[in-house]
């Protein structure tokens, strides 16, 4: 994880105070527990980070070199959340994570269930949803009192990586699960029931009255969109609250559960999820879901418009109830207006569940950034000790953006003064702390680094006779032209390295070799 601590050396007292009140989380400095510097990255492969909380009624998540294991191949359920950090919602978010699915036992020829990723109101404390087909997000109005569980508190959006395929379905059994969704026997049910990516919507913010389990966290969470990664048409909710078939946006065919276990990028069994949220018009959120399988990145959900208000049918109503659980009779469905207002801040979580069908389910390498965040690259230069000054453009392989972010508008990228505000440049240490003055730094035993705010070039004047790798870091912001947010501090680029390897050599052999660092 990269630190976003901005304080200078004269602010030691403030650092100590923040540490004392617990706002320093594994290198992430927050103000009021809100992330102030992106990207936020956590591997989950080095133990449990302090900002992570767990839910462990059936299984205690295991943190090890693989990541965090949420189920280990038996009938289990658990979840985690980045509950001590909040992410502002106004510019949207991009969330990436890797996952593993392998092992376990089949039921009806399928492994299950799957992994859910969710966003919930940043003002709430993590309180997970129901297990089984609800996958830690939706509720379960079970007929068995011990299985009755509410949905995720403050839920805004849930995305299921659902190998078994029940996260999209209406569940109604006389002895088990009850959850709203798509009726599996209806004509619009997807052709391929398994290997689905399913989006569910928000918790009903008031709860519904009626027989059985109602009220907060027992209403809402409707299916908004679902599609199989192996083919067939997609299903989405329409403006009248009914489901309809639409053409699939997936451009390739693959299974969400790979044939084996792999954490190697590019391997055929490698899997990574990329979720992009971009603010739309009228309080809508534009949702895109991509999955990297092997070297291929497939767009599974392409710019789905998640409206601020929508109609849906609550279709697991009971005709009555006793003191412990609902009766076994299904009542009439209920048309409901659901408010899905975007909260000021988000928190992020994950859950996994299994049943008769089981599998090992692991997540790792979470990265949270902003849409159209600056793409910066390390700059590596090899030079000779006879050179008195090295002057170069550190941005030549970077991409910064300008323009408005929103529905049907896409910022453009570049790396010159029309995209980068040179006046915001500053030298930093590896942790992201400003060092010396913003544009000049005397590095003891190495030399003097300078940045020219007119040309955008960096110069190093090494001390006579210096040999070795001279290293410094920097960050900079973009411009705020054309209605874009890229001059905001939250869009300051990530900490980026400059390294000059100074050797005794023929000057003609000096070369520049920048490459992508993140």
């Amino acid at each position: 994880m990269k630190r976003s601590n901005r304080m200078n050396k004269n602010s030691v007292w403030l650092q100590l105070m923040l540490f004392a009140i617990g706002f320093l989380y594994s290198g992430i400095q927050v103000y009021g527990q809100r992330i102030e510097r992106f990207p936020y990255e956590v591997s989950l492969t080095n133990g449990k980070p302090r900002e992570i909380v767990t839910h462990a009624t059936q299984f205690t998540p295991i943190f090890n070199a693989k990541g965090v294991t949420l189920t280990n191949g038996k009938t289990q359920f658990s979840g985690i959340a980045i509950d001590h950090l909040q992410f502002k919602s106004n510019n949207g978010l991009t969330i990436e994570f890797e996952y593993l699915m392998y092992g376990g036992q089949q039921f009806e020829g399928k492994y299950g269930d799957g992994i859910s990723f969710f966003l919930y109101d940043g003002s709430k404390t993590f309180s997970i949803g129901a297990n089984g087909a609800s996958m830690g997000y939706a509720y379960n109005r079970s007929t068995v009192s011990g299985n009755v569980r509410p949905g995720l508190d403050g839920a805004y959006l849930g995305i299921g990586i659902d190998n078994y395929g029940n996260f999209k379905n209406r569940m109604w059994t006389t002895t088990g699960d009850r959850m709203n969704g798509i009726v599996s026997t209806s004509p619009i049910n997807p052709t391929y029931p398994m290997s689905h990516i399913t989006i569910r919507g928000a918790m009903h913010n008031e709860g519904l009255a009626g027989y059985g389990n109602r009220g907060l966290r027992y209403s809402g969470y409707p299916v908004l969109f679902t599609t199989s990664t192996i083919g067939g048409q997609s299903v989405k909710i329409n403006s009248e609250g009914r489901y309809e078939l639409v053409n699939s946006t997936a451009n390739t065919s693959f299974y969400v559960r790979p044939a084996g276990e792999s954490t190697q990028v590019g391997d055929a069994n490698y899997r990574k999820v990329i979720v992009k949220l971009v603010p739309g018009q009228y309080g809508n959120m534009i949702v895109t879901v991509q999955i990297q399988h092997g070297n291929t990145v497939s767009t599974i959900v392409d710019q789905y418009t998640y409206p601020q208000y929508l109609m849906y049918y609550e279709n697991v109503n009971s005709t009555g109830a006793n003191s412990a659980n609902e009766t076994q009779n299904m009542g009439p469905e209920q048309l409901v207006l659901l408010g899905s207002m975007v909260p000021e801040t988000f928190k992020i979580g994950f859950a996994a569940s299994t049943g008769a069908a089981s599998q090992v389910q692991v997540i790792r390498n979470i990265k949270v950034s902003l849409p159209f965040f600056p793409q910066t690259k390390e700059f590596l230069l090899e030079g000779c000790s006879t050179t008195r000054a090295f002057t170069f453009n550190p941005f030549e392989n970077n991409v910064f953006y300008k323009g408005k972010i929103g529905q049907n508008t896409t910022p453009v990228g570049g790396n010159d003064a029309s995209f980068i505000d040179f006046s915001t440049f500053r030298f930093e240490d590896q942790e992201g702390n400003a060092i010396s003055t913003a544009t000049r730094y005397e590095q003891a035993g190495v030399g003097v680094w300078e940045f020219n705010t007119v040309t955008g070039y960096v110069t190093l004047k090494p001390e006579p006779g210096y040999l070795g790798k001279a290293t410094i870091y920097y960050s900079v912001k973009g411009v705020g032209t054309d209605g874009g947010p890229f001059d905001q501090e939250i869009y300051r680029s990530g900490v980026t390295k400059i390294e000059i390897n100074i050797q005794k050599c023929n000057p003609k052999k000096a070369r520049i070799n920048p490459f992508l660092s993140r």
Side-chain angles (χ1 to χ4, degrees), residues 370-389:
L370 297 172
F372 304 100
F373 193 73
Q375 301 174 34
T376 58
K377 300 181 180 182
E378 292 184 349
F379 192 95
L380 305 183
L381 172 66
E382 294 183 359
C384 297
S385 57
T386 55
T387 303
R388 293 186 177 183

PDB file of all heavy atoms in Angstrom, residues 370-389:
ATOM      1  N   LEU A 370      -9.336   6.127  -8.891  1.00  0.00           N
ATOM      2  CA  LEU A 370     -10.401   6.976  -9.442  1.00  0.00           C
ATOM      3  C   LEU A 370     -10.490   6.777 -10.950  1.00  0.00           C
ATOM      4  O   LEU A 370      -9.495   6.447 -11.600  1.00  0.00           O
ATOM      5  CB  LEU A 370     -10.109   8.447  -9.135  1.00  0.00           C
ATOM      6  CG  LEU A 370     -10.066   8.826  -7.658  1.00  0.00           C
ATOM      7  CD1 LEU A 370      -9.581  10.262  -7.499  1.00  0.00           C
ATOM      8  CD2 LEU A 370     -11.432   8.661  -7.020  1.00  0.00           C
ATOM      9  N   PRO A 371     -11.660   6.995 -11.525  1.00  0.00           N
ATOM     10  CA  PRO A 371     -11.760   6.922 -12.981  1.00  0.00           C
ATOM     11  C   PRO A 371     -10.818   7.925 -13.640  1.00  0.00           C
ATOM     12  O   PRO A 371     -10.708   9.071 -13.203  1.00  0.00           O
ATOM     13  CB  PRO A 371     -13.220   7.282 -13.264  1.00  0.00           C
ATOM     14  CG  PRO A 371     -13.950   6.990 -11.994  1.00  0.00           C
ATOM     15  CD  PRO A 371     -12.970   7.288 -10.902  1.00  0.00           C
ATOM     16  N   PHE A 372     -10.103   7.477 -14.653  1.00  0.00           N
ATOM     17  CA  PHE A 372      -9.168   8.319 -15.397  1.00  0.00           C
ATOM     18  C   PHE A 372      -8.091   8.906 -14.480  1.00  0.00           C
ATOM     19  O   PHE A 372      -7.701  10.065 -14.613  1.00  0.00           O
ATOM     20  CB  PHE A 372      -9.926   9.418 -16.145  1.00  0.00           C
ATOM     21  CG  PHE A 372     -10.986   8.893 -17.067  1.00  0.00           C
ATOM     22  CD1 PHE A 372     -12.326   8.896 -16.679  1.00  0.00           C
ATOM     23  CD2 PHE A 372     -10.651   8.352 -18.291  1.00  0.00           C
ATOM     24  CE1 PHE A 372     -13.303   8.389 -17.518  1.00  0.00           C
ATOM     25  CE2 PHE A 372     -11.636   7.838 -19.134  1.00  0.00           C
ATOM     26  CZ  PHE A 372     -12.963   7.856 -18.746  1.00  0.00           C
ATOM     27  N   PHE A 373      -7.637   8.076 -13.565  1.00  0.00           N
ATOM     28  CA  PHE A 373      -6.552   8.489 -12.673  1.00  0.00           C
ATOM     29  C   PHE A 373      -5.250   8.545 -13.481  1.00  0.00           C
ATOM     30  O   PHE A 373      -5.055   7.765 -14.416  1.00  0.00           O
ATOM     31  CB  PHE A 373      -6.422   7.482 -11.530  1.00  0.00           C
ATOM     32  CG  PHE A 373      -5.567   7.952 -10.401  1.00  0.00           C
ATOM     33  CD1 PHE A 373      -6.027   8.918  -9.527  1.00  0.00           C
ATOM     34  CD2 PHE A 373      -4.290   7.435 -10.211  1.00  0.00           C
ATOM     35  CE1 PHE A 373      -5.238   9.362  -8.474  1.00  0.00           C
ATOM     36  CE2 PHE A 373      -3.494   7.868  -9.172  1.00  0.00           C
ATOM     37  CZ  PHE A 373      -3.971   8.838  -8.295  1.00  0.00           C
ATOM     38  N   PRO A 374      -4.335   9.470 -13.151  1.00  0.00           N
ATOM     39  CA  PRO A 374      -3.082   9.573 -13.911  1.00  0.00           C
ATOM     40  C   PRO A 374      -2.331   8.242 -13.976  1.00  0.00           C
ATOM     41  O   PRO A 374      -2.195   7.539 -12.980  1.00  0.00           O
ATOM     42  CB  PRO A 374      -2.289  10.611 -13.114  1.00  0.00           C
ATOM     43  CG  PRO A 374      -3.315  11.438 -12.429  1.00  0.00           C
ATOM     44  CD  PRO A 374      -4.430  10.496 -12.093  1.00  0.00           C
ATOM     45  N   GLN A 375      -1.884   7.918 -15.159  1.00  0.00           N
ATOM     46  CA  GLN A 375      -1.087   6.711 -15.372  1.00  0.00           C
ATOM     47  C   GLN A 375       0.378   7.114 -15.460  1.00  0.00           C
ATOM     48  O   GLN A 375       0.816   7.662 -16.469  1.00  0.00           O
ATOM     49  CB  GLN A 375      -1.524   6.000 -16.649  1.00  0.00           C
ATOM     50  CG  GLN A 375      -2.979   5.583 -16.659  1.00  0.00           C
ATOM     51  CD  GLN A 375      -3.409   5.020 -17.998  1.00  0.00           C
ATOM     52  OE1 GLN A 375      -2.634   4.366 -18.692  1.00  0.00           O
ATOM     53  NE2 GLN A 375      -4.654   5.271 -18.370  1.00  0.00           N
ATOM     54  N   THR A 376       1.087   6.886 -14.381  1.00  0.00           N
ATOM     55  CA  THR A 376       2.482   7.321 -14.321  1.00  0.00           C
ATOM     56  C   THR A 376       3.421   6.127 -14.401  1.00  0.00           C
ATOM     57  O   THR A 376       3.097   5.027 -13.977  1.00  0.00           O
ATOM     58  CB  THR A 376       2.758   8.101 -13.032  1.00  0.00           C
ATOM     59  OG1 THR A 376       2.438   7.281 -11.899  1.00  0.00           O
ATOM     60  CG2 THR A 376       1.923   9.368 -12.975  1.00  0.00           C
ATOM     61  N   LYS A 377       4.603   6.390 -14.951  1.00  0.00           N
ATOM     62  CA  LYS A 377       5.603   5.342 -15.132  1.00  0.00           C
ATOM     63  C   LYS A 377       6.924   5.747 -14.490  1.00  0.00           C
ATOM     64  O   LYS A 377       7.302   6.916 -14.493  1.00  0.00           O
ATOM     65  CB  LYS A 377       5.835   5.086 -16.625  1.00  0.00           C
ATOM     66  CG  LYS A 377       4.591   4.643 -17.371  1.00  0.00           C
ATOM     67  CD  LYS A 377       4.906   4.393 -18.841  1.00  0.00           C
ATOM     68  CE  LYS A 377       3.661   3.946 -19.593  1.00  0.00           C
ATOM     69  NZ  LYS A 377       3.952   3.653 -21.018  1.00  0.00           N
ATOM     70  N   GLU A 378       7.604   4.767 -13.950  1.00  0.00           N
ATOM     71  CA  GLU A 378       8.962   5.021 -13.477  1.00  0.00           C
ATOM     72  C   GLU A 378       9.820   5.517 -14.642  1.00  0.00           C
ATOM     73  O   GLU A 378       9.614   5.132 -15.793  1.00  0.00           O
ATOM     74  CB  GLU A 378       9.578   3.738 -12.915  1.00  0.00           C
ATOM     75  CG  GLU A 378       8.941   3.264 -11.636  1.00  0.00           C
ATOM     76  CD  GLU A 378       9.654   2.040 -11.088  1.00  0.00           C
ATOM     77  OE1 GLU A 378      10.488   1.476 -11.823  1.00  0.00           O
ATOM     78  OE2 GLU A 378       9.367   1.661  -9.951  1.00  0.00           O
ATOM     79  N   PHE A 379      10.768   6.364 -14.299  1.00  0.00           N
ATOM     80  CA  PHE A 379      11.695   6.865 -15.311  1.00  0.00           C
ATOM     81  C   PHE A 379      13.097   6.419 -14.921  1.00  0.00           C
ATOM     82  O   PHE A 379      13.619   6.830 -13.879  1.00  0.00           O
ATOM     83  CB  PHE A 379      11.610   8.387 -15.402  1.00  0.00           C
ATOM     84  CG  PHE A 379      12.319   8.969 -16.595  1.00  0.00           C
ATOM     85  CD1 PHE A 379      11.624   9.242 -17.754  1.00  0.00           C
ATOM     86  CD2 PHE A 379      13.685   9.208 -16.561  1.00  0.00           C
ATOM     87  CE1 PHE A 379      12.277   9.761 -18.855  1.00  0.00           C
ATOM     88  CE2 PHE A 379      14.339   9.728 -17.659  1.00  0.00           C
ATOM     89  CZ  PHE A 379      13.644  10.003 -18.815  1.00  0.00           C
ATOM     90  N   LEU A 380      13.703   5.577 -15.738  1.00  0.00           N
ATOM     91  CA  LEU A 380      15.028   5.045 -15.466  1.00  0.00           C
ATOM     92  C   LEU A 380      15.997   5.571 -16.510  1.00  0.00           C
ATOM     93  O   LEU A 380      15.732   5.521 -17.713  1.00  0.00           O
ATOM     94  CB  LEU A 380      15.011   3.519 -15.498  1.00  0.00           C
ATOM     95  CG  LEU A 380      14.011   2.826 -14.575  1.00  0.00           C
ATOM     96  CD1 LEU A 380      14.170   1.316 -14.668  1.00  0.00           C
ATOM     97  CD2 LEU A 380      14.159   3.307 -13.148  1.00  0.00           C
ATOM     98  N   LEU A 381      17.139   6.044 -16.026  1.00  0.00           N
ATOM     99  CA  LEU A 381      18.156   6.610 -16.911  1.00  0.00           C
ATOM    100  C   LEU A 381      19.516   6.069 -16.494  1.00  0.00           C
ATOM    101  O   LEU A 381      19.838   6.029 -15.307  1.00  0.00           O
ATOM    102  CB  LEU A 381      18.134   8.136 -16.822  1.00  0.00           C
ATOM    103  CG  LEU A 381      19.245   8.917 -17.531  1.00  0.00           C
ATOM    104  CD1 LEU A 381      19.124   8.731 -19.033  1.00  0.00           C
ATOM    105  CD2 LEU A 381      19.177  10.389 -17.168  1.00  0.00           C
ATOM    106  N   GLU A 382      20.275   5.638 -17.454  1.00  0.00           N
ATOM    107  CA  GLU A 382      21.651   5.233 -17.201  1.00  0.00           C
ATOM    108  C   GLU A 382      22.575   6.283 -17.790  1.00  0.00           C
ATOM    109  O   GLU A 382      22.406   6.679 -18.946  1.00  0.00           O
ATOM    110  CB  GLU A 382      21.931   3.852 -17.807  1.00  0.00           C
ATOM    111  CG  GLU A 382      21.147   2.737 -17.132  1.00  0.00           C
ATOM    112  CD  GLU A 382      21.492   1.374 -17.690  1.00  0.00           C
ATOM    113  OE1 GLU A 382      22.324   1.313 -18.621  1.00  0.00           O
ATOM    114  OE2 GLU A 382      20.934   0.377 -17.208  1.00  0.00           O
ATOM    115  N   GLY A 383      23.544   6.723 -16.994  1.00  0.00           N
ATOM    116  CA  GLY A 383      24.438   7.781 -17.458  1.00  0.00           C
ATOM    117  C   GLY A 383      25.844   7.607 -16.923  1.00  0.00           C
ATOM    118  O   GLY A 383      26.133   6.683 -16.151  1.00  0.00           O
ATOM    119  N   CYS A 384      26.697   8.496 -17.345  1.00  0.00           N
ATOM    120  CA  CYS A 384      28.116   8.410 -17.014  1.00  0.00           C
ATOM    121  C   CYS A 384      28.513   9.470 -15.987  1.00  0.00           C
ATOM    122  O   CYS A 384      27.945  10.563 -15.944  1.00  0.00           O
ATOM    123  CB  CYS A 384      28.954   8.582 -18.282  1.00  0.00           C
ATOM    124  SG  CYS A 384      28.660   7.282 -19.492  1.00  0.00           S
ATOM    125  N   SER A 385      29.508   9.124 -15.202  1.00  0.00           N
ATOM    126  CA  SER A 385      29.938   9.992 -14.107  1.00  0.00           C
ATOM    127  C   SER A 385      30.545  11.286 -14.606  1.00  0.00           C
ATOM    128  O   SER A 385      30.699  12.245 -13.840  1.00  0.00           O
ATOM    129  CB  SER A 385      30.941   9.255 -13.218  1.00  0.00           C
ATOM    130  OG  SER A 385      32.058   8.813 -13.987  1.00  0.00           O
ATOM    131  N   THR A 386      30.916  11.345 -15.877  1.00  0.00           N
ATOM    132  CA  THR A 386      31.485  12.575 -16.419  1.00  0.00           C
ATOM    133  C   THR A 386      30.416  13.621 -16.750  1.00  0.00           C
ATOM    134  O   THR A 386      30.740  14.768 -17.031  1.00  0.00           O
ATOM    135  CB  THR A 386      32.287  12.261 -17.690  1.00  0.00           C
ATOM    136  OG1 THR A 386      31.442  11.555 -18.608  1.00  0.00           O
ATOM    137  CG2 THR A 386      33.514  11.395 -17.357  1.00  0.00           C
ATOM    138  N   THR A 387      29.158  13.205 -16.725  1.00  0.00           N
ATOM    139  CA  THR A 387      28.071  14.133 -17.041  1.00  0.00           C
ATOM    140  C   THR A 387      27.827  15.068 -15.864  1.00  0.00           C
ATOM    141  O   THR A 387      27.627  14.616 -14.732  1.00  0.00           O
ATOM    142  CB  THR A 387      26.781  13.367 -17.368  1.00  0.00           C
ATOM    143  OG1 THR A 387      27.034  12.465 -18.449  1.00  0.00           O
ATOM    144  CG2 THR A 387      25.667  14.325 -17.758  1.00  0.00           C
ATOM    145  N   ARG A 388      27.839  16.356 -16.109  1.00  0.00           N
ATOM    146  CA  ARG A 388      27.673  17.332 -15.037  1.00  0.00           C
ATOM    147  C   ARG A 388      26.210  17.529 -14.641  1.00  0.00           C
ATOM    148  O   ARG A 388      25.929  17.888 -13.500  1.00  0.00           O
ATOM    149  CB  ARG A 388      28.279  18.672 -15.455  1.00  0.00           C
ATOM    150  CG  ARG A 388      29.791  18.631 -15.610  1.00  0.00           C
ATOM    151  CD  ARG A 388      30.339  20.015 -15.882  1.00  0.00           C
ATOM    152  NE  ARG A 388      31.789  19.997 -15.970  1.00  0.00           N
ATOM    153  CZ  ARG A 388      32.548  21.090 -16.151  1.00  0.00           C
ATOM    154  NH1 ARG A 388      31.947  22.286 -16.262  1.00  0.00           N
ATOM    155  NH2 ARG A 388      33.854  21.004 -16.217  1.00  0.00           N
ATOM    156  N   ALA A 389      25.325  17.330 -15.591  1.00  0.00           N
ATOM    157  CA  ALA A 389      23.898  17.505 -15.286  1.00  0.00           C
ATOM    158  C   ALA A 389      23.075  16.610 -16.206  1.00  0.00           C
ATOM    159  O   ALA A 389      23.333  16.522 -17.411  1.00  0.00           O
ATOM    160  CB  ALA A 389      23.476  18.961 -15.452  1.00  0.00           C
TER     161      ALA A 389
END
